[in-house]
Amino acid sequence: MGSFKTSVFILVLPLLEGALSNSLIRLNNNGYEGIVIAIDPNVPEDETLIQQIKDMVTQASPFLFEATEKRFYFKNVAILIPEKWKKKPEYVRPKLETYKNADVLVAEPNPPGNDDPYTEQMGTCGEKGERIYFTPEFIAGKKLHQYGRKERVFVHEWAHLRWGVFNEYNNEQKFYLSKGKREAVRCSATITGKTVVQVCQGGSCITRRCKIDQVTGLYEKGCEFIPADKQKEKASIMFAQNVDSVVAFCSEKNHNKEAPNQQNQKCNLRSIWEVIRDSEDFKTTTPMTTQPPKPTFSLLQITQRIVCLVLDKSGSMTLGDRLKRLNQAGKLFLLQTVEQGSWVGMVTFDNAAQVQSALIQINSGTDRNALTKRLPTAAAGGTSICTGLRSAFTVIRKKYPTDGAEIVLLTDGEDNTISVCFNEVKQSGAIIHTVALGPSAAKELEELSKMTGGLQTYASDQAQNNGLIDAFGALSSGNGAVSQRSIQLESRGWTLQNTQWINGTVIVDSTVGNDTLFLITWTVQPPQIRLWDPSGKLQNGFLVDTHSRMAYLQIPGTAKVGVWNYSLQASSQTLTLTVTSRASSATLPPVTVTSKMNKDTGKFPSPMVVYAKIHQGSLPILGASVTALIESENGNTVTLELLDNGAGADATKDDGIYSRYFTAYDTNGRYSVKVRALGGVQTARRRPMPQQNGARYIPGWIENGEVKWNPARREVNEDGLQGKKVCFSRTASGGSFVASNVPKAPIPDRFPPCQITDLKAKIQGESLINLTWTAPGDDYDHGRAYKYIIGISTNILDLRDKFNESVQVNTTDLIPQEASAKEVFVFKPESIAFENGTDLYIAVQAVDKVNLMSEISNIARVSLFIPAQTPPETPSPSLPCPDINVNSTIPGIHILKIMWKWLGELQLSVALG
């Protein structure tokens, strides 16, 4: 096999691009332990960065403690240091800590200039986030004016990460009408400040009062609310973390339920503190009576990857060609997946364990080929998993400590004694990835992955699903650079009847192409193989391994960009095709697809959620065709189209994270997950927008009564990413989950429609209301709901808490569409006086054919604004710090205009609330 191609990865690109987290955080006596903060390998060596991280956490801990009413603090933190940084005696080898499970990533901005701190959140209100992102410039305290002090921002992001709360500001809509008055979107509503706009022309800028849009009644575009520097209000950290007086989260006592922000939309108008109070963290703690200790830190430096394969060769491995399939998957891992420079050993086991290979460093194709020859060729005996694990520990310890080493454990057999080595596994510090093969693999197997942070996968005996190869192909390093990672472009299988040809295509896009491998497997005899590159040239040189029933071809150099065509011919057997590649360049991030389920276990009738993240660098890929294939132990496969539409299971529209509910349980036991993603002419990278789940970018601040402006966010130049459109093909393993409580067929309908989360309302004409939302389904986001119930009220809490008693709109003519379709409904409010200054609140509930009801939707609002019939007035002079109260009524504004004309340059203080 050709040798792995090494390269220096010089692009400023987070190593964790695409990764999905599996946090090690635990709460112990009010203190958070196991926090992992990782410095990306592409960050230039700078020892001061380590101290700056320590300072941030140390200062954030007492701030968090007071903000949570003396309930939580930061107890200990591990800082992951890149391998290429200088070695120091105080830097020790990590155990379970990896870049993949890091809670905070410190990476160079990508694209440059984008220093927004933010937290990736995939789930709904109250669900933990994935990861916090900071840049070195932010950690160094160089973004103080833009975001505020870093320890305060850290607590803001921690609330996103740990408790699943959302922001209380809104970059898209900064003001709203309430009872005819203009209000800034903020929490609490007693935060005071100035409403001003900066107007620049010819290099000169002035600050003036905001004009009123006579159509909407709101302020003009570009108007900003700048909080006053002197405040009495203490809340809320999720709105203005930069204000010195703000030291708490909004509670039900001061929460602004009317503000159109994410927290209200996603958390059913609940305050931040109410969501925190409902968390497991809160329920398992009581307030402390003493001050907490300062955080402690451990400095961990990444080292070379150490992997030991622990492979079952018991008698049951002879069933269903399992041993042959193990050889195929093992060879893919050894020849292609495992990274250059890694140390790899091998152990096989039945009743006893046998060392097939001590640790060998992968430096060449010769090393890889030598290991493939050690894969097991015969199977017999029983199953003793702990014996295999102990032997692997011995193999590793002959050269290295087991801390941070990885074990890939494959078994198809039952073993009731597996739990006897759980303590040894915990104490070893090793990470164990488990591969369950077939329906009888030990039921406790996944516990080994869960306790060590490893990947858990399942492969059925349906060879055409290619599950075993997918499982081994997913085992790229948790600490390897993106440019070194093996990327799966294709994974398909067919069971052929008679003599027939299978024709297909694989896209090699410009972001991949190095070390490209085409792998074909069969079950009876070698097929005819034809492969043409994008220029139409026939590719020869497939290496045929008749013993393992596989053939493979590595494309020399960098594979040509474009569509590769293949044709396979065989008779009455099963074929599979797998194509893998690596990044084409050290300066261009590859398109990556990573997938996961929201939980490791699913209990009927609770739905599961499948996620797929598709990004290129930090740019989300939009418009891709994304499909999840979920296979049960029965061998049945369900196909789900995943969506990035901000509805149903999808938390945020157009963020490159595609998702969907899974409800099609058919049996108890393991389910495997695979995702296929295709990019075509409608697929595009999106210019990064201000992060929805990050600390508020401060447009300006007040100093000595005068507004000081920050520069606007830097525009992103996409020229270095070779245009906006991208065509690609990818497949990725989403691991596995275990289902329980599934009743016998026929499965009863226990799934209601999903909650509508994107309801929007606007005034149409003088008195009509236009509603839009994404249609839910009969079962969550699948199928078609039976009917809608629309309730309206002039009291937002009455609508939320007493929806059934609200005024209901006539929906006789409103027939639900298929899930994910756009619904539009226009109605005239009746039975409610809808006049100037009226605020009307609207919510929708979906009902299915067996009368199961969804949760009440997010609450949309409209405010009727009828502009005063006054003649146009001469513009008043620009004032640097004008007096303008955002909750003033239209007559008040008219009076103020007269006052401004009369008083001239007189400056008045501003008070909101």
Side-chain angles (χ1 to χ4, degrees), residues 7 63 99 112 174 176 197 327 331 346 389 414 417 480 582 598 648 668 740 783 791 795 799 805:
S7 61
F63 186 66
Y99 280 100
K174 298 181 180 181
Y176 65 101
V197 64
N327 272 262
K331 286 188 175 182
M346 189 186 305
L389 291 174
E414 298 178 359
T417 66
R582 285 186 166 85
N598 64 324
N668 292 310
S740 63
N795 186 298
L799 185 63
E805 300 174 18

Side-chain angles (χ1 to χ4, degrees), residues 802-828:
K802 304 174 184 178
F803 181 79
N804 292 335
E805 300 174 18
S806 64
V807 174
Q808 293 193 2
V809 176
N810 185 344
T811 58
T812 304
D813 298 329
L814 178 56
I815 308 300
Q817 300 186 69
E818 285 290 325
S820 304
K822 183 179 180 180
E823 299 278 25
V824 180
F825 182 66
V826 180
F827 72 97
K828 182 175 183 179

